Amino acid sequence: STVVRCRESLRLATTALATARTLAQSRAGEELVAWEVRSALDALGNVVGTLYTDDILDRVFSRFCIGK
């Protein structure tokens, strides 16, 4: 059902964001953090419709210097 799919997508997004945070805090490579953020955005896109992932990632990485 739709509710089950949405719940699973939100769970995946939450897990990906938690992983991204852990990677960023441990100063892992930016590409690893970006991969997890992209995964989270893809999962959220399943719930709310298409997201412009590249635009969002550009905003995140233009404001923060992760892993440096």
Side-chain angles (χ1 to χ4, degrees):
S1 78
T2 301
V3 171
V4 172
R5 284 192 306 271
C6 287
R7 187 174 293 140
E8 178 62 13
S9 291
L10 291 173
R11 186 193 66 73
L12 290 171
T14 300
T15 300
L17 289 174
T19 301
R21 181 179 180 172
T22 299
L23 289 167
Q25 290 173 334
S26 67
R27 300 194 179 268
E30 289 180 0
E31 65 281 352
L32 297 174
V33 176
W35 177 269
E36 293 298 332
V37 171
R38 181 179 296 276
S39 295
L41 290 171
D42 288 344
L44 290 174
N46 290 330
V47 176
V48 298
T50 303
L51 290 173
Y52 297 96
T53 305
D54 290 333
D55 293 339
I56 293 170
L57 286 175
D58 286 345
R59 279 190 193 173
V60 169
F61 287 105
S62 71
R63 294 183 184 168
F64 301 100
C65 194
I66 298 173
K68 292 185 179 178

